[in-house]
Amino acid sequence: MIEYQVASSEEEHRVHEALLVECCEQRDAGRALVSPLTRFGFSGAKLYRIYFGERDTRPYVGKIHSWRKLNDEHSRSQQVRHHFAVQESTFVDLDPDGDDVNRLTMLLYPLVEGGSDEAGQIAELGDIFFDPTNPSGASDALEMVYDSASSPLGRAKPAIKKGEFGEVLERYFRDEDAEASLNSVFGRNETITGFDGIPLTNPMVLRSRLGGTYDFHHSPVHGDLHAQNVLLDRLGNPHLIDYAWADAEGPTAIDYTVMEATIRLMRFPHTCNPSTLIRVQALLNEDFPRLALGREEALLESDPMRSTYVRAAKLVDRIRTGFRRVCGNTSHDEYLLALFATLYGMVAYRDYPLLPTLHVLNSIAGEIDPELAPSS
């Protein structure tokens, strides 16, 4: 019996249920509880939490996508398997001789090792970033992910290589989709007017002006470490999932900037004063966001969103601290370049807050090169 907490479309339900039934049969399980994990983007993949019941109390993650995509992800996960302690995965395939591009397959792996059920009640990290009932949960989880010597990212020993900005971070710009989105906003114009009459330069123009050769740290990377790819067990321990963008020798900063972008834009509450939001976002680009925000107490003194801004600064600071720990204190421009590439690529997402992101991209460019700073 397959028990869904949230139903898919009828066609998705049919195919996915067939894969899940096959999955149960392979594991000799008569029942499974399945619930979807939050996704954003446009790959079309679906991820589920799966509990098989009494025979195996561990939670599993099942990812359904084309066989070709999942085979590539499996190969990538093996490249970083030892660094990230990736659990052994298995394929569930209804038609092994079918079309590699279009046939749906499942990649299944346990969230934890052995027979422990400690990870029983799984939560998504993004759901607790700004949860007023859990003021320290997200910060504690980020510390375990980034700032612990025992964590995969905390024990990384990156190598520095010189590289051209656009080449090192090429895949994160998501050129085709991002440029289509930017062209729909800017058209033939180099600038548009943003909040408070601030002129915003097209990020495609900023990207070309930031071009050049820089030092970049490289190490094994997850590659897509946004908040929904970190699951928390009932003890608050983080578990990473979804290794489709993993790389044995990728730009180290990307595993930090993708998470920061999630906090600052995708998961940030949007019911705030735009003028204050843009000012706060500019302060978050500085090397030490909590100190930057602390200088602006008058700006936030009577703002009802003050506690949210302060929490955002603390979370971003936690991520930056982890990055400095492995890459040193002189790598802020490298970090901002990776953050620029991350946000540039994210403008392609339909549900991403486009105008605030354009403001942040402009302020990042101005932080790296003051001549590119937007003028009020």
Side-chain angles (χ1 to χ4, degrees), residues 56-326:
D56 188 347
T57 57
R58 294 175 295 172
Y60 283 73
V61 172
K63 182 173 184 178
I64 298 177
H65 206 192
S66 72
W67 184 90
R68 187 176 68 176
K69 293 284 189 181
L70 291 184
N71 190 53
D72 178 65
E73 176 173 345
H74 182 263
S75 298
R76 288 181 173 278
S77 71
Q78 295 309 295
Q79 295 176 27
V80 299
R81 179 182 177 191
H82 297 294
H83 185 78
F84 284 99
V86 180
Q87 300 297 315
E88 189 63 41
S89 56
T90 56
F91 284 97
V92 181
D93 197 343
L94 297 174
D95 184 14
D97 298 322
D99 176 17
D100 290 351
V101 176
N102 295 313
R103 84 174 190 269
L104 290 178
T105 307
M106 177 189 288
L107 192 63
L108 179 76
Y109 50 92
L111 210 56
V112 294
E113 294 184 84
S116 169
D117 64 348
E118 286 186 350
Q121 297 175 0
I122 298 300
E124 297 178 45
L125 176 58
D127 293 341
I128 66 169
F129 276 150
F130 299 105
D131 181 359
T133 67
N134 190 1
S136 64
S139 181
D140 292 345
L142 289 175
E143 181 174 11
M144 285 186 276
V145 171
Y146 291 113
D147 203 22
S148 166
S150 62
S151 72
L153 282 86
R155 65 172 178 263
K157 301 193 180 301
I160 299 177
K161 299 179 181 180
K162 285 193 177 295
E164 203 282 321
F165 171 46
E167 292 179 2
V168 172
L169 298 163
E170 181 178 10
R171 70 183 311 213
Y172 301 98
F173 283 105
R174 305 174 192 261
D175 280 323
E176 185 175 344
D177 295 304
E179 290 179 9
S181 181
L182 292 171
N183 284 332
S184 71
V185 175
F186 285 89
R188 297 177 179 273
N189 300 315
E190 183 173 309
T191 63
I192 62 170
T193 301
F195 294 127
D196 291 343
I198 297 173
L200 299 176
T201 301
N202 189 327
M204 288 190 284
V205 175
L206 295 174
R207 175 182 172 181
S208 67
R209 293 177 181 172
L210 289 171
T213 300
Y214 301 85
D215 287 338
F216 288 97
H217 289 78
H218 287 73
S219 61
V221 297
H222 178 283
D224 194 22
L225 197 53
H226 58 75
Q228 274 22 77
N229 279 340
V230 180
L231 303 184
L232 305 177
D233 63 32
R234 63 183 178 85
L235 301 179
N237 299 312
H239 304 272
L240 310 188
I241 64 170
D242 199 356
Y243 287 86
W245 285 57
D247 191 332
E249 197 175 0
T252 304
I254 212 72
D255 274 347
Y256 299 80
T257 59
V258 171
M259 184 67 73
E260 178 172 327
T262 311
I263 295 169
R264 291 176 57 174
L265 291 157
M266 179 56 78
R267 305 298 298 194
F268 197 90
H270 298 149
T271 56
C272 47
N273 182 295
S275 299
T276 307
L277 173 64
I278 296 311
R279 179 63 182 138
V280 168
Q281 291 285 1
L283 293 169
L284 293 179
N285 289 333
E286 296 192 22
D287 206 349
F288 298 91
R290 289 176 69 180
L291 294 178
L293 206 64
R295 298 196 308 265
E296 299 287 341
E297 281 297 312
L299 173 71
L300 305 179
E301 190 172 2
S302 60
D303 195 303
M305 298 287 290
R306 181 182 183 279
S307 62
T308 300
Y309 297 136
V310 171
R311 186 184 291 201
K314 289 180 178 178
L315 294 176
V316 170
D317 226 18
R318 174 67 70 192
I319 296 169
R320 302 272 186 87
T321 299
F323 179 72
R324 284 192 292 268
R325 186 176 181 278
V326 298

Side-chain angles (χ1 to χ4, degrees), residues 344-365:
Y344 186 105
M346 287 183 174
V347 302
Y349 295 142
R350 287 190 307 272
D351 50 357
Y352 214 71
L354 183 57
L355 192 55
T357 303
L358 295 178
H359 274 273
V360 176
L361 284 165
N362 273 253
S363 63
I364 289 173

Side-chain angles (χ1 to χ4, degrees), residues 1-8 12-21 32-36 48 64:
M1 177 182 179
I2 307 296
E3 186 175 326
Y4 287 92
Q5 290 187 349
V6 178
S8 306
E12 279 186 346
H13 182 96
R14 184 187 66 78
V15 177
H16 291 196
E17 185 169 80
L19 284 165
L20 290 163
V21 167
L33 176 63
V34 180
S35 58
Y48 295 97
I64 298 177

